[in-house]
Amino acid sequence: GSFVTLYPKAITPPAVSYTQPTTLAAGTYYWRVYSNRDTDLARVQVRTLFVGTAPVAPVLVSPLNLASVLTAVVPLSWNAVTPPAGVTVQNYDVQIATNATFTTGLQTFTNVTSPTNTPALTAGVYYWRVRARFGDVSSPILGVFSAARSFTVDVTPPTVPVQLLPANNASITTD
């Protein structure tokens, strides 16, 4: 598609910034900066700007907070984010960590859809959260993370029960 110039502004060097003097209506805008000596504007990188209400964080669905999970591969799901008008949700980032501040054992998975599965996890407590990715696929805008939840992976098989009665090779009679 073509790039339509709605708000042209020439800046005289040495200025390196520009402030839009009027309020932009809600929606998605694309902007670029180029020299008046540029002859091939297709080479100039275009950036995306969203104006409007910030999208909300995803709401986690499963597993429930503090759940005990009996499998190494844990299914994760969350409610889809409904973006404001003019904004597109591309996909989601999922983070899993071994502490609540997401600084230890952090694994980040990008371009994810809901639901998804974790990789095989070892036994222990894990924390997870999700954020939406908005706008252009090649340079998405990152949303805010959901409230974190934790779950415990318990892959230890149960102990084998010990049969107490009747004794091995015992005879049982009934009246």
Side-chain angles (χ1 to χ4, degrees), residues 110-141:
T110 59
N111 302 322
V112 176
T113 57
S114 178
T116 192
N117 292 330
T118 67
L121 301 171
T122 58
V125 175
Y126 292 88
Y127 298 83
W128 70 291
R129 62 186 181 181
V130 177
R131 70 178 168 199
R133 297 161 55 94
F134 302 95
D136 185 6
V137 174
S138 63
S139 58
I141 306 299

PDB file of all heavy atoms in Angstrom, residues 110-141:
ATOM      1  N   THR A 110       7.261 -16.619  22.304  1.00  0.00           N
ATOM      2  CA  THR A 110       6.609 -15.542  21.550  1.00  0.00           C
ATOM      3  C   THR A 110       5.756 -16.121  20.421  1.00  0.00           C
ATOM      4  O   THR A 110       5.882 -17.286  20.063  1.00  0.00           O
ATOM      5  CB  THR A 110       7.648 -14.577  20.965  1.00  0.00           C
ATOM      6  OG1 THR A 110       8.523 -15.311  20.104  1.00  0.00           O
ATOM      7  CG2 THR A 110       8.456 -13.900  22.055  1.00  0.00           C
ATOM      8  N   ASN A 111       4.903 -15.268  19.880  1.00  0.00           N
ATOM      9  CA  ASN A 111       4.026 -15.645  18.761  1.00  0.00           C
ATOM     10  C   ASN A 111       3.147 -16.838  19.108  1.00  0.00           C
ATOM     11  O   ASN A 111       2.962 -17.751  18.312  1.00  0.00           O
ATOM     12  CB  ASN A 111       4.841 -15.934  17.499  1.00  0.00           C
ATOM     13  CG  ASN A 111       5.677 -14.752  17.074  1.00  0.00           C
ATOM     14  OD1 ASN A 111       5.239 -13.615  17.181  1.00  0.00           O
ATOM     15  ND2 ASN A 111       6.880 -15.009  16.619  1.00  0.00           N
ATOM     16  N   VAL A 112       2.605 -16.843  20.312  1.00  0.00           N
ATOM     17  CA  VAL A 112       1.822 -17.957  20.827  1.00  0.00           C
ATOM     18  C   VAL A 112       0.331 -17.639  20.702  1.00  0.00           C
ATOM     19  O   VAL A 112      -0.075 -16.484  20.770  1.00  0.00           O
ATOM     20  CB  VAL A 112       2.184 -18.189  22.318  1.00  0.00           C
ATOM     21  CG1 VAL A 112       1.346 -19.275  22.937  1.00  0.00           C
ATOM     22  CG2 VAL A 112       3.668 -18.517  22.452  1.00  0.00           C
ATOM     23  N   THR A 113      -0.481 -18.680  20.528  1.00  0.00           N
ATOM     24  CA  THR A 113      -1.934 -18.530  20.580  1.00  0.00           C
ATOM     25  C   THR A 113      -2.448 -19.342  21.759  1.00  0.00           C
ATOM     26  O   THR A 113      -1.752 -20.207  22.281  1.00  0.00           O
ATOM     27  CB  THR A 113      -2.590 -19.028  19.283  1.00  0.00           C
ATOM     28  OG1 THR A 113      -2.228 -20.390  19.070  1.00  0.00           O
ATOM     29  CG2 THR A 113      -2.150 -18.193  18.088  1.00  0.00           C
ATOM     30  N   SER A 114      -3.656 -19.055  22.202  1.00  0.00           N
ATOM     31  CA  SER A 114      -4.239 -19.784  23.331  1.00  0.00           C
ATOM     32  C   SER A 114      -5.180 -20.849  22.777  1.00  0.00           C
ATOM     33  O   SER A 114      -5.911 -20.582  21.835  1.00  0.00           O
ATOM     34  CB  SER A 114      -5.037 -18.832  24.213  1.00  0.00           C
ATOM     35  OG  SER A 114      -5.647 -19.514  25.275  1.00  0.00           O
ATOM     36  N   PRO A 115      -5.189 -22.035  23.342  1.00  0.00           N
ATOM     37  CA  PRO A 115      -4.325 -22.521  24.414  1.00  0.00           C
ATOM     38  C   PRO A 115      -2.991 -23.002  23.861  1.00  0.00           C
ATOM     39  O   PRO A 115      -2.838 -23.184  22.660  1.00  0.00           O
ATOM     40  CB  PRO A 115      -5.128 -23.692  24.993  1.00  0.00           C
ATOM     41  CG  PRO A 115      -5.896 -24.214  23.817  1.00  0.00           C
ATOM     42  CD  PRO A 115      -6.215 -23.001  22.963  1.00  0.00           C
ATOM     43  N   THR A 116      -2.044 -23.223  24.772  1.00  0.00           N
ATOM     44  CA  THR A 116      -0.732 -23.738  24.383  1.00  0.00           C
ATOM     45  C   THR A 116      -0.229 -24.645  25.496  1.00  0.00           C
ATOM     46  O   THR A 116      -0.759 -24.630  26.600  1.00  0.00           O
ATOM     47  CB  THR A 116       0.256 -22.581  24.109  1.00  0.00           C
ATOM     48  OG1 THR A 116       1.430 -23.099  23.478  1.00  0.00           O
ATOM     49  CG2 THR A 116       0.648 -21.862  25.390  1.00  0.00           C
ATOM     50  N   ASN A 117       0.794 -25.421  25.215  1.00  0.00           N
ATOM     51  CA  ASN A 117       1.391 -26.305  26.216  1.00  0.00           C
ATOM     52  C   ASN A 117       2.788 -25.851  26.555  1.00  0.00           C
ATOM     53  O   ASN A 117       3.511 -25.344  25.685  1.00  0.00           O
ATOM     54  CB  ASN A 117       1.456 -27.748  25.699  1.00  0.00           C
ATOM     55  CG  ASN A 117       0.088 -28.372  25.560  1.00  0.00           C
ATOM     56  OD1 ASN A 117      -0.828 -28.045  26.289  1.00  0.00           O
ATOM     57  ND2 ASN A 117      -0.050 -29.267  24.605  1.00  0.00           N
ATOM     58  N   THR A 118       3.186 -26.069  27.805  1.00  0.00           N
ATOM     59  CA  THR A 118       4.563 -25.798  28.196  1.00  0.00           C
ATOM     60  C   THR A 118       5.452 -26.883  27.607  1.00  0.00           C
ATOM     61  O   THR A 118       4.966 -27.954  27.234  1.00  0.00           O
ATOM     62  CB  THR A 118       4.728 -25.834  29.726  1.00  0.00           C
ATOM     63  OG1 THR A 118       4.520 -27.182  30.177  1.00  0.00           O
ATOM     64  CG2 THR A 118       3.787 -24.877  30.422  1.00  0.00           C
ATOM     65  N   PRO A 119       6.750 -26.634  27.557  1.00  0.00           N
ATOM     66  CA  PRO A 119       7.649 -27.762  27.295  1.00  0.00           C
ATOM     67  C   PRO A 119       7.614 -28.674  28.527  1.00  0.00           C
ATOM     68  O   PRO A 119       7.027 -28.307  29.552  1.00  0.00           O
ATOM     69  CB  PRO A 119       9.011 -27.088  27.127  1.00  0.00           C
ATOM     70  CG  PRO A 119       8.891 -25.780  27.824  1.00  0.00           C
ATOM     71  CD  PRO A 119       7.450 -25.381  27.751  1.00  0.00           C
ATOM     72  N   ALA A 120       8.222 -29.835  28.441  1.00  0.00           N
ATOM     73  CA  ALA A 120       8.260 -30.737  29.596  1.00  0.00           C
ATOM     74  C   ALA A 120       8.985 -30.039  30.748  1.00  0.00           C
ATOM     75  O   ALA A 120      10.102 -29.555  30.588  1.00  0.00           O
ATOM     76  CB  ALA A 120       8.953 -32.037  29.233  1.00  0.00           C
ATOM     77  N   LEU A 121       8.334 -29.971  31.891  1.00  0.00           N
ATOM     78  CA  LEU A 121       8.889 -29.313  33.076  1.00  0.00           C
ATOM     79  C   LEU A 121       9.266 -30.364  34.106  1.00  0.00           C
ATOM     80  O   LEU A 121       8.629 -31.409  34.198  1.00  0.00           O
ATOM     81  CB  LEU A 121       7.856 -28.346  33.681  1.00  0.00           C
ATOM     82  CG  LEU A 121       7.347 -27.231  32.763  1.00  0.00           C
ATOM     83  CD1 LEU A 121       6.187 -26.490  33.418  1.00  0.00           C
ATOM     84  CD2 LEU A 121       8.479 -26.269  32.426  1.00  0.00           C
ATOM     85  N   THR A 122      10.274 -30.054  34.906  1.00  0.00           N
ATOM     86  CA  THR A 122      10.636 -30.929  36.018  1.00  0.00           C
ATOM     87  C   THR A 122       9.751 -30.594  37.209  1.00  0.00           C
ATOM     88  O   THR A 122       9.075 -29.565  37.229  1.00  0.00           O
ATOM     89  CB  THR A 122      12.116 -30.752  36.393  1.00  0.00           C
ATOM     90  OG1 THR A 122      12.340 -29.381  36.736  1.00  0.00           O
ATOM     91  CG2 THR A 122      13.037 -31.141  35.246  1.00  0.00           C
ATOM     92  N   ALA A 123       9.754 -31.468  38.206  1.00  0.00           N
ATOM     93  CA  ALA A 123       8.939 -31.235  39.397  1.00  0.00           C
ATOM     94  C   ALA A 123       9.336 -29.919  40.059  1.00  0.00           C
ATOM     95  O   ALA A 123      10.510 -29.559  40.098  1.00  0.00           O
ATOM     96  CB  ALA A 123       9.099 -32.397  40.373  1.00  0.00           C
ATOM     97  N   GLY A 124       8.336 -29.181  40.563  1.00  0.00           N
ATOM     98  CA  GLY A 124       8.611 -27.931  41.261  1.00  0.00           C
ATOM     99  C   GLY A 124       7.502 -26.919  41.057  1.00  0.00           C
ATOM    100  O   GLY A 124       6.504 -27.183  40.389  1.00  0.00           O
ATOM    101  N   VAL A 125       7.708 -25.731  41.617  1.00  0.00           N
ATOM    102  CA  VAL A 125       6.737 -24.641  41.525  1.00  0.00           C
ATOM    103  C   VAL A 125       7.122 -23.747  40.350  1.00  0.00           C
ATOM    104  O   VAL A 125       8.296 -23.386  40.188  1.00  0.00           O
ATOM    105  CB  VAL A 125       6.698 -23.818  42.833  1.00  0.00           C
ATOM    106  CG1 VAL A 125       5.771 -22.618  42.697  1.00  0.00           C
ATOM    107  CG2 VAL A 125       6.287 -24.705  44.001  1.00  0.00           C
ATOM    108  N   TYR A 126       6.126 -23.380  39.547  1.00  0.00           N
ATOM    109  CA  TYR A 126       6.332 -22.506  38.393  1.00  0.00           C
ATOM    110  C   TYR A 126       5.325 -21.364  38.439  1.00  0.00           C
ATOM    111  O   TYR A 126       4.219 -21.513  38.941  1.00  0.00           O
ATOM    112  CB  TYR A 126       6.153 -23.282  37.080  1.00  0.00           C
ATOM    113  CG  TYR A 126       7.241 -24.294  36.861  1.00  0.00           C
ATOM    114  CD1 TYR A 126       7.120 -25.582  37.368  1.00  0.00           C
ATOM    115  CD2 TYR A 126       8.395 -23.966  36.173  1.00  0.00           C
ATOM    116  CE1 TYR A 126       8.123 -26.518  37.193  1.00  0.00           C
ATOM    117  CE2 TYR A 126       9.409 -24.901  35.992  1.00  0.00           C
ATOM    118  CZ  TYR A 126       9.265 -26.174  36.502  1.00  0.00           C
ATOM    119  OH  TYR A 126      10.264 -27.090  36.337  1.00  0.00           O
ATOM    120  N   TYR A 127       5.745 -20.229  37.881  1.00  0.00           N
ATOM    121  CA  TYR A 127       4.898 -19.045  37.769  1.00  0.00           C
ATOM    122  C   TYR A 127       4.741 -18.761  36.286  1.00  0.00           C
ATOM    123  O   TYR A 127       5.671 -18.965  35.508  1.00  0.00           O
ATOM    124  CB  TYR A 127       5.551 -17.852  38.480  1.00  0.00           C
ATOM    125  CG  TYR A 127       5.721 -18.102  39.952  1.00  0.00           C
ATOM    126  CD1 TYR A 127       6.816 -18.822  40.434  1.00  0.00           C
ATOM    127  CD2 TYR A 127       4.765 -17.662  40.866  1.00  0.00           C
ATOM    128  CE1 TYR A 127       6.960 -19.084  41.797  1.00  0.00           C
ATOM    129  CE2 TYR A 127       4.911 -17.919  42.225  1.00  0.00           C
ATOM    130  CZ  TYR A 127       5.999 -18.635  42.675  1.00  0.00           C
ATOM    131  OH  TYR A 127       6.134 -18.892  44.009  1.00  0.00           O
ATOM    132  N   TRP A 128       3.557 -18.265  35.898  1.00  0.00           N
ATOM    133  CA  TRP A 128       3.345 -17.966  34.487  1.00  0.00           C
ATOM    134  C   TRP A 128       2.495 -16.719  34.324  1.00  0.00           C
ATOM    135  O   TRP A 128       1.737 -16.342  35.207  1.00  0.00           O
ATOM    136  CB  TRP A 128       2.745 -19.161  33.757  1.00  0.00           C
ATOM    137  CG  TRP A 128       1.314 -19.502  34.082  1.00  0.00           C
ATOM    138  CD1 TRP A 128       0.819 -19.997  35.252  1.00  0.00           C
ATOM    139  CD2 TRP A 128       0.199 -19.390  33.211  1.00  0.00           C
ATOM    140  NE1 TRP A 128      -0.533 -20.207  35.159  1.00  0.00           N
ATOM    141  CE2 TRP A 128      -0.949 -19.849  33.909  1.00  0.00           C
ATOM    142  CE3 TRP A 128       0.044 -18.958  31.891  1.00  0.00           C
ATOM    143  CZ2 TRP A 128      -2.215 -19.874  33.345  1.00  0.00           C
ATOM    144  CZ3 TRP A 128      -1.222 -18.983  31.324  1.00  0.00           C
ATOM    145  CH2 TRP A 128      -2.330 -19.447  32.054  1.00  0.00           C
ATOM    146  N   ARG A 129       2.701 -16.061  33.189  1.00  0.00           N
ATOM    147  CA  ARG A 129       1.944 -14.862  32.850  1.00  0.00           C
ATOM    148  C   ARG A 129       1.935 -14.714  31.329  1.00  0.00           C
ATOM    149  O   ARG A 129       2.748 -15.330  30.628  1.00  0.00           O
ATOM    150  CB  ARG A 129       2.541 -13.627  33.523  1.00  0.00           C
ATOM    151  CG  ARG A 129       3.965 -13.308  33.098  1.00  0.00           C
ATOM    152  CD  ARG A 129       4.539 -12.177  33.912  1.00  0.00           C
ATOM    153  NE  ARG A 129       5.903 -11.851  33.494  1.00  0.00           N
ATOM    154  CZ  ARG A 129       6.631 -10.919  34.065  1.00  0.00           C
ATOM    155  NH1 ARG A 129       6.136 -10.206  35.088  1.00  0.00           N
ATOM    156  NH2 ARG A 129       7.851 -10.667  33.628  1.00  0.00           N
ATOM    157  N   VAL A 130       1.028 -13.877  30.844  1.00  0.00           N
ATOM    158  CA  VAL A 130       0.828 -13.717  29.402  1.00  0.00           C
ATOM    159  C   VAL A 130       0.626 -12.236  29.090  1.00  0.00           C
ATOM    160  O   VAL A 130       0.046 -11.505  29.887  1.00  0.00           O
ATOM    161  CB  VAL A 130      -0.421 -14.509  28.943  1.00  0.00           C
ATOM    162  CG1 VAL A 130      -0.688 -14.307  27.463  1.00  0.00           C
ATOM    163  CG2 VAL A 130      -0.275 -15.990  29.265  1.00  0.00           C
ATOM    164  N   ARG A 131       1.118 -11.814  27.920  1.00  0.00           N
ATOM    165  CA  ARG A 131       0.810 -10.470  27.424  1.00  0.00           C
ATOM    166  C   ARG A 131       0.503 -10.553  25.931  1.00  0.00           C
ATOM    167  O   ARG A 131       0.995 -11.437  25.224  1.00  0.00           O
ATOM    168  CB  ARG A 131       1.953  -9.495  27.672  1.00  0.00           C
ATOM    169  CG  ARG A 131       3.179  -9.737  26.823  1.00  0.00           C
ATOM    170  CD  ARG A 131       4.241  -8.697  27.088  1.00  0.00           C
ATOM    171  NE  ARG A 131       5.504  -9.099  26.495  1.00  0.00           N
ATOM    172  CZ  ARG A 131       6.666  -8.608  26.839  1.00  0.00           C
ATOM    173  NH1 ARG A 131       6.746  -7.698  27.791  1.00  0.00           N
ATOM    174  NH2 ARG A 131       7.766  -9.023  26.251  1.00  0.00           N
ATOM    175  N   ALA A 132      -0.332  -9.639  25.470  1.00  0.00           N
ATOM    176  CA  ALA A 132      -0.700  -9.584  24.054  1.00  0.00           C
ATOM    177  C   ALA A 132       0.349  -8.801  23.282  1.00  0.00           C
ATOM    178  O   ALA A 132       1.060  -7.959  23.833  1.00  0.00           O
ATOM    179  CB  ALA A 132      -2.076  -8.947  23.896  1.00  0.00           C
ATOM    180  N   ARG A 133       0.434  -9.096  21.997  1.00  0.00           N
ATOM    181  CA  ARG A 133       1.296  -8.382  21.052  1.00  0.00           C
ATOM    182  C   ARG A 133       0.375  -7.741  20.023  1.00  0.00           C
ATOM    183  O   ARG A 133      -0.433  -8.424  19.411  1.00  0.00           O
ATOM    184  CB  ARG A 133       2.282  -9.346  20.405  1.00  0.00           C
ATOM    185  CG  ARG A 133       3.239  -9.968  21.414  1.00  0.00           C
ATOM    186  CD  ARG A 133       3.893 -11.247  20.895  1.00  0.00           C
ATOM    187  NE  ARG A 133       4.581 -11.088  19.645  1.00  0.00           N
ATOM    188  CZ  ARG A 133       5.890 -10.824  19.517  1.00  0.00           C
ATOM    189  NH1 ARG A 133       6.638 -10.683  20.586  1.00  0.00           N
ATOM    190  NH2 ARG A 133       6.434 -10.712  18.340  1.00  0.00           N
ATOM    191  N   PHE A 134       0.492  -6.425  19.838  1.00  0.00           N
ATOM    192  CA  PHE A 134      -0.429  -5.661  19.013  1.00  0.00           C
ATOM    193  C   PHE A 134       0.248  -5.097  17.781  1.00  0.00           C
ATOM    194  O   PHE A 134       1.451  -4.881  17.764  1.00  0.00           O
ATOM    195  CB  PHE A 134      -1.004  -4.483  19.813  1.00  0.00           C
ATOM    196  CG  PHE A 134      -1.725  -4.911  21.055  1.00  0.00           C
ATOM    197  CD1 PHE A 134      -1.075  -4.928  22.283  1.00  0.00           C
ATOM    198  CD2 PHE A 134      -3.033  -5.315  20.999  1.00  0.00           C
ATOM    199  CE1 PHE A 134      -1.736  -5.330  23.420  1.00  0.00           C
ATOM    200  CE2 PHE A 134      -3.707  -5.718  22.136  1.00  0.00           C
ATOM    201  CZ  PHE A 134      -3.051  -5.727  23.344  1.00  0.00           C
ATOM    202  N   GLY A 135      -0.569  -4.796  16.768  1.00  0.00           N
ATOM    203  CA  GLY A 135      -0.101  -4.047  15.608  1.00  0.00           C
ATOM    204  C   GLY A 135       0.604  -4.888  14.578  1.00  0.00           C
ATOM    205  O   GLY A 135       0.242  -6.031  14.315  1.00  0.00           O
ATOM    206  N   ASP A 136       1.650  -4.330  14.009  1.00  0.00           N
ATOM    207  CA  ASP A 136       2.398  -4.923  12.914  1.00  0.00           C
ATOM    208  C   ASP A 136       3.163  -6.157  13.383  1.00  0.00           C
ATOM    209  O   ASP A 136       3.866  -6.124  14.386  1.00  0.00           O
ATOM    210  CB  ASP A 136       3.369  -3.860  12.373  1.00  0.00           C
ATOM    211  CG  ASP A 136       4.133  -4.316  11.147  1.00  0.00           C
ATOM    212  OD1 ASP A 136       3.841  -5.407  10.635  1.00  0.00           O
ATOM    213  OD2 ASP A 136       5.014  -3.573  10.700  1.00  0.00           O
ATOM    214  N   VAL A 137       3.059  -7.246  12.650  1.00  0.00           N
ATOM    215  CA  VAL A 137       3.721  -8.502  13.011  1.00  0.00           C
ATOM    216  C   VAL A 137       5.236  -8.335  13.070  1.00  0.00           C
ATOM    217  O   VAL A 137       5.902  -8.901  13.922  1.00  0.00           O
ATOM    218  CB  VAL A 137       3.345  -9.630  12.011  1.00  0.00           C
ATOM    219  CG1 VAL A 137       4.118 -10.889  12.285  1.00  0.00           C
ATOM    220  CG2 VAL A 137       1.864  -9.895  12.056  1.00  0.00           C
ATOM    221  N   SER A 138       5.800  -7.522  12.166  1.00  0.00           N
ATOM    222  CA  SER A 138       7.256  -7.382  12.110  1.00  0.00           C
ATOM    223  C   SER A 138       7.818  -6.542  13.255  1.00  0.00           C
ATOM    224  O   SER A 138       8.986  -6.697  13.614  1.00  0.00           O
ATOM    225  CB  SER A 138       7.688  -6.789  10.771  1.00  0.00           C
ATOM    226  OG  SER A 138       7.151  -5.485  10.626  1.00  0.00           O
ATOM    227  N   SER A 139       7.028  -5.660  13.831  1.00  0.00           N
ATOM    228  CA  SER A 139       7.503  -4.858  14.964  1.00  0.00           C
ATOM    229  C   SER A 139       6.327  -4.603  15.906  1.00  0.00           C
ATOM    230  O   SER A 139       5.804  -3.494  15.980  1.00  0.00           O
ATOM    231  CB  SER A 139       8.127  -3.547  14.488  1.00  0.00           C
ATOM    232  OG  SER A 139       7.185  -2.815  13.736  1.00  0.00           O
ATOM    233  N   PRO A 140       5.901  -5.662  16.629  1.00  0.00           N
ATOM    234  CA  PRO A 140       4.701  -5.526  17.462  1.00  0.00           C
ATOM    235  C   PRO A 140       4.914  -4.633  18.677  1.00  0.00           C
ATOM    236  O   PRO A 140       6.018  -4.480  19.169  1.00  0.00           O
ATOM    237  CB  PRO A 140       4.425  -6.967  17.899  1.00  0.00           C
ATOM    238  CG  PRO A 140       5.757  -7.617  17.872  1.00  0.00           C
ATOM    239  CD  PRO A 140       6.497  -6.976  16.730  1.00  0.00           C
ATOM    240  N   ILE A 141       3.811  -4.071  19.132  1.00  0.00           N
ATOM    241  CA  ILE A 141       3.785  -3.322  20.375  1.00  0.00           C
ATOM    242  C   ILE A 141       3.384  -4.314  21.465  1.00  0.00           C
ATOM    243  O   ILE A 141       2.416  -5.063  21.313  1.00  0.00           O
ATOM    244  CB  ILE A 141       2.743  -2.177  20.305  1.00  0.00           C
ATOM    245  CG1 ILE A 141       2.993  -1.284  19.096  1.00  0.00           C
ATOM    246  CG2 ILE A 141       2.718  -1.399  21.618  1.00  0.00           C
ATOM    247  CD1 ILE A 141       4.334  -0.602  19.077  1.00  0.00           C
TER     248      ILE A 141
END
